[in-house]
Amino acid sequence: MENKKTVISVKNIKKTFQDRVVLEDINFDVHQGEIFVIMGGSGSGKSTLLRIMAGVIGFDSGNVSFNDKSLIDLSVEQKEQIRKRFGMCFQSAALLDFLTVEGNVSLPLKEHTGLDAKIISMISKMKLNLVGLAGFEDYLPSEISGGMKKRVGLARAIAMDPDIVFYDEPTAGLDPVVCAVVDQLIVDLTKKLKITSIVVTHNMESVFRIADRVAMLYKGELLEVGTTEQIRNSSNEIVQQFINGNIDGPILLNEVKE
Amino acid sequence: MIRILLSKMLDFFEIIGKCVKAWITIFVDFAKLLFETIYWIFLGPFKKKPINFSSAFDQMVFMGFQSILIVFFVTFFTGMVLAMQSAHQLEKMGGVIYVASLVTISICRELGPVLTALVIAGRIGAAITAEIGSMKVNEQIEALDTMAISPIRYLAVPKLVALFIMLPFLTVIGDVAGIIGGYVVGVFSLKINPGLYMNITWKFLTLKDIYTGLSKAFIFAIIITMVGVYQGLKTKGGAVGVGRATTVSVVTSFILVIVADCFMTGIYFFWGV
């Protein structure tokens, strides 16, 4: 694992929202081909971190680099080029309501590749097949279930054959079986398509099912980064309380407004 | 005492400063949005990102074709009301016959374009904001961004193109409906000879009356679409936010349409265009 190539490197990231520090002093590397999970409680800043890595939102100081290229000093065109190599899966799936399932999956292909309509349709059918939704091409997002929407979102994220896929809470709000299905899909797609997956979640079952390495965020700070074994055997009390879901422990639930 | 007064005054200036700053920010953001939309319309085709005409066509059907009936009724009845009210006054001077030209000219120059724009601001402006606003709160706008698809090019451009083409058409329909409304009252209630009514109508109506009215429609189309898109993209805070943004969008469009109308009428009036 240690000798693997680094695809995303996060250095000293600091992010504030209106004087409130959301992330501070975040440092870690993501290696090629691994599933890297960022876990943490609600409001720990994990979704913000994911968006910073995906280049959707900016940060106050520090640096994020993709394949040793810093995301800061890129022109708009270069940024767009890099974004095409990223895929993103949203918590709410974020499918466009007015497009069919196939329309959603084929959207990035139509916009960015000048491919023939028939080929685009073939590719999107293939991607839908990968997430187990062959035959649902003509449905509208409002006509399918939440778990199916997430899978369509996943198919859309991998439509452009990205290098990295970001997942924002892929299993939130799904029943345990569908949860396991989505987790299995993430693992399969990562290994089959040789992509790097960065997953934000607070579902502990998911974490230990899919992760190669895990980072634990707590109140905007990175507590620990390591393999699932290292995290499971962590001596940090906060990490232990979080992964075991104990009520008693150092994690304070009463937020104190500064 | 003086110190308290001084601090109160400082507070007062601070509030004014904050308001001015907020307004400048809104203005700059709006100008940026407008600039970017126009940029994509004219320069998009050179960057292999042409206007999505099939989407623009769908919008034209929704914005234009499906608005014909409501525009027709609003201006038709306004034409009737205008004829009745002016007949009442003109009767005293024995000039009931001039109802024809009065209705026609005020409809073509003013009421046709403005009423059509207000109806469309209510129907289409609200729809644009609600649609883009709910896309914003459901992460769909962000999804477009992460796919390197500009939401402005993908969503705003087809809407602007569609309304820019359709609003003048609707205005023409509004003009005709208003004239018919006046005709109905003039001929059936005021007993003006139909031939004479039309004769007076054409005699005083100049081409200038029509094109000053239509030129307004183009500006109104830009106002309604861009305010709708701007408020939609700014939406925050779930369903409540979408409702609030939609209200603000319609109210802003109404005010801006009336203000722009006043400015343009002023220009035509003082420069005699």
Side-chain angles (χ1 to χ4, degrees):
Chain A
M1 228 3 120
E2 300 307 318
N3 305 325
K4 278 210 162 178
K5 199 183 149 212
T6 299
V7 275
I8 283 200
S9 166
V10 176
K11 292 233 179 332
N12 292 324
I13 284 295
K14 183 179 178 185
K15 172 82 185 167
T16 53
F17 281 130
Q18 291 156 354
D19 305 332
R20 197 165 55 88
V21 179
V22 198
L23 292 170
E24 199 165 19
D25 199 21
I26 309 282
N27 286 291
F28 60 84
D29 290 338
V30 180
H31 306 310
Q32 190 165 36
E34 72 173 346
I35 299 179
F36 188 85
V37 174
I38 302 168
M39 64 177 193
S42 318
S44 60
K46 53 192 194 310
S47 289
T48 309
L49 181 58
L50 190 79
R51 281 165 172 71
I52 287 175
M53 291 164 77
V56 185
I57 55 174
F59 41 88
D60 301 342
S61 62
N63 198 357
V64 177
S65 44
F66 167 66
N67 284 345
D68 297 330
K69 251 187 261 160
S70 166
L71 285 183
I72 305 176
D73 28 66
L74 292 177
S75 68
V76 178
E77 273 89 21
Q78 283 172 314
K79 228 179 202 170
E80 235 171 54
Q81 287 306 322
I82 284 194
R83 268 191 202 168
K84 287 178 201 166
R85 298 170 65 184
F86 290 170
M88 183 132 176
C89 235
F90 288 88
Q91 188 173 354
S92 62
L95 304 176
L96 302 188
D97 307 312
F98 50 87
L99 293 178
T100 59
V101 165
E102 191 186 321
N104 268 292
V105 178
S106 62
L107 181 66
L109 296 162
K110 270 186 200 150
E111 293 290 325
H112 296 309
T113 63
L115 291 172
D116 191 65
K118 267 187 196 157
I119 297 175
I120 289 182
S121 165
M122 251 169 59
I123 298 176
S124 21
K125 282 203 173 84
M126 204 176 78
K127 302 289 175 186
L128 280 170
N129 205 11
L130 275 176
V131 297
L133 284 176
F136 285 93
E137 288 85 358
D138 297 328
Y139 282 70
L140 284 171
S142 54
E143 296 166 339
I144 57 175
S145 73
M148 284 154 99
K149 277 186 208 169
K150 289 237 165 123
R151 285 192 275 164
V152 176
L154 192 50
R156 182 177 69 181
I158 56 169
M160 294 279 287
D161 295 322
D163 297 337
I164 302 179
V165 179
F166 297 92
Y167 302 83
D168 189 8
E169 311 249 0
T171 53
L174 301 179
D175 71 59
V177 178
V178 181
C179 243
V181 171
V182 170
D183 283 344
Q184 190 59 46
L185 263 174
I186 294 173
V187 175
D188 284 353
L189 292 177
T190 309
K191 305 299 172 209
K192 267 189 217 162
L193 306 175
K194 295 196 169 56
I195 48 185
T196 307
S197 293
I198 299 172
V199 184
V200 155
T201 186
H202 51 216
N203 183 335
M204 279 306 116
E205 270 180 61
S206 280
V207 173
F208 292 114
R209 225 165 9 210
I210 63 176
D212 290 321
R213 287 195 311 140
V214 184
M216 167 84 194
L217 269 186
Y218 179 67
K219 298 208 165 178
E221 280 174 48
L222 195 62
L223 290 187
E224 208 157 340
V225 185
T227 61
T228 43
E229 265 327 291
Q230 285 168 336
I231 291 291
R232 218 192 288 266
N233 302 322
S234 166
S235 58
N236 191 317
E237 284 177 36
I238 296 175
V239 175
Q240 282 303 331
Q241 188 193 349
F242 192 79
I243 59 179
N244 295 318
N246 296 331
I247 295 174
D248 298 318
I251 297 178
L252 300 170
L253 289 178
N254 295 332
E255 299 286 337
V256 182
K257 203 177 173 222
E258 287 139 29
Chain B
M1 182 67 194
I2 290 175
R3 192 171 291 167
I4 295 170
L5 205 69
L6 207 66
S7 84
K8 286 263 187 260
M9 261 174 74
L10 278 177
D11 284 352
F12 177 69
F13 284 122
E14 205 179 308
I15 292 167
I16 293 183
K18 269 184 189 159
C19 286
V20 171
K21 209 175 141 197
W23 276 100
I24 290 175
T25 319
I26 290 174
F27 184 77
V28 170
D29 286 352
F30 188 79
K32 266 190 205 157
L33 176 69
L34 183 62
F35 175 79
E36 204 171 323
T37 313
I38 293 171
Y39 168 88
W40 280 114
I41 291 176
F42 291 106
L43 292 180
F46 296 105
K47 297 180 84 186
K48 290 187 181 163
K49 301 268 190 247
I51 300 164
N52 185 344
F53 282 108
S54 81
S55 165
F57 183 76
D58 289 345
Q59 292 291 331
M60 280 164 77
V61 173
F62 167 65
M63 292 172 170
F65 185 71
Q66 292 175 9
S67 302
I68 289 177
L69 210 61
I70 180 168
V71 167
F72 184 90
F73 276 113
V74 168
T75 43
F76 176 76
F77 286 110
T78 307
M80 285 179 74
V81 169
L82 205 57
M84 291 189 268
Q85 295 284 16
S86 55
H88 191 67
Q89 299 298 321
L90 287 170
E91 214 169 17
K92 295 175 193 162
M93 295 177 272
V96 177
I97 184 70
Y98 292 109
V99 164
S101 52
L102 190 144
V103 169
T104 308
I105 289 172
S106 43
I107 288 280
C108 286
R109 290 194 81 125
E110 238 5 271
L111 292 171
V114 172
L115 283 176
T116 308
L118 293 183
V119 167
I120 295 300
R123 200 183 112 87
I124 305 300
I128 292 175
T129 307
E131 184 190 325
I132 296 184
S134 22
M135 289 181 74
K136 174 83 191 296
V137 299
N138 289 327
E139 301 180 308
Q140 291 174 36
I141 299 290
E142 207 185 327
L144 284 174
D145 259 332
T146 57
M147 287 186 274
I149 297 168
S150 157
I152 294 174
R153 179 177 66 78
Y154 189 72
L155 298 169
V157 167
K159 290 182 166 57
L160 182 61
V161 170
L163 198 60
F164 196 76
I165 296 171
M166 291 321 275
L167 194 59
F169 271 110
L170 289 170
T171 304
V172 171
I173 290 169
D175 288 351
V176 172
I179 293 171
I180 295 173
Y183 178 89
V184 168
V185 171
V187 171
F188 297 106
S189 167
L190 304 173
K191 306 290 179 205
I192 301 172
N193 178 289
L196 186 65
Y197 189 97
M198 288 322 286
N199 206 353
I200 297 286
T201 297
W202 299 130
K203 192 174 164 193
F204 289 96
L205 184 69
T206 59
L207 202 58
K208 196 180 117 185
D209 298 326
I210 296 174
Y211 73 68
T212 52
L214 284 185
S215 67
K216 288 175 184 175
F218 289 107
I219 302 292
F220 296 159
I222 297 175
I223 291 174
I224 294 166
T225 323
M226 294 325 291
V227 169
V229 172
Y230 176 75
Q231 290 299 340
L233 288 177
K234 253 185 46 175
T235 305
K236 260 189 265 188
V240 180
V242 175
R244 199 184 303 125
T246 309
T247 310
V248 174
S249 163
V250 173
V251 171
T252 314
S253 285
F254 268 46
I255 294 170
L256 287 183
V257 162
I258 302 287
V259 171
D261 180 55
C262 179
F263 264 102
M264 290 169 71
T265 308
I267 290 170
Y268 296 139
F269 186 77
F270 288 111
W271 274 283
V273 180

